[in-house]
Amino acid sequence: DDLMGSEMEQARLSNQYSRFGHKEWLRHRASDRFFRNLLKFDKSPVLKNLLDEAAVLATICVGIILWNELLVDGYTDFNEAHHDAPLAT
């Protein structure tokens, strides 16, 4: 038998995935789904899996910005006035 035709594989797939009917499809395609899902982003398994990598990347980015602003090039404030790097020698 082919893999998808076996009874064991069909039983596994039917238990693994929930049923998705017309009512669920309407909720999935609702116009407010963006805001509904935005409020639940902390429950996302994708976010939970990528949180460590994202934190490391954000830390590296902040480090590079601080290095450039404080030691190398200086910074430009909101009035577009350039200031020399405060920690540069």
Side-chain angles (χ1 to χ4, degrees), residues 1 5 10 13 21-23 25-26 32 36 41 43-44 47-48 51 61 66 74 84 87 89:
D1 291 354
Q10 289 178 358
L13 289 175
H22 183 68
K23 181 180 174 183
W25 176 252
L26 290 177
D32 67 335
R36 186 177 62 236
F41 77 95
K43 294 173 181 60
S44 167
L47 180 69
K48 288 179 183 178
L51 195 57
C61 291
L66 289 175
D84 290 332
L87 301 179
T89 55

Side-chain angles (χ1 to χ4, degrees), residues 1-7 9-10 12-13:
D1 291 354
D2 61 335
L3 181 63
M4 294 304 291
S6 69
E7 291 179 23
E9 184 65 18
Q10 289 178 358
R12 186 185 70 80
L13 289 175

Side-chain angles (χ1 to χ4, degrees), residues 7-52:
E7 291 179 23
M8 190 167 92
E9 184 65 18
Q10 289 178 358
R12 186 185 70 80
L13 289 175
S14 66
N15 292 334
Q16 183 176 1
Y17 299 106
S18 61
R19 303 284 184 215
F20 199 78
H22 183 68
K23 181 180 174 183
E24 292 83 12
W25 176 252
L26 290 177
R27 185 171 187 277
H28 170 72
R29 296 298 300 166
S31 60
D32 67 335
R33 71 184 183 269
F34 175 77
F35 297 108
R36 186 177 62 236
N37 293 331
L38 187 62
L39 297 175
K40 295 189 296 188
F41 77 95
D42 59 330
K43 294 173 181 60
S44 167
V46 174
L47 180 69
K48 288 179 183 178
N49 289 336
L50 295 177
L51 195 57
D52 293 337

Side-chain angles (χ1 to χ4, degrees), residues 59-70:
T59 303
I60 291 171
C61 291
V62 168
I64 290 171
I65 291 170
L66 289 175
W67 175 269
N68 285 333
E69 299 289 320
L70 298 176

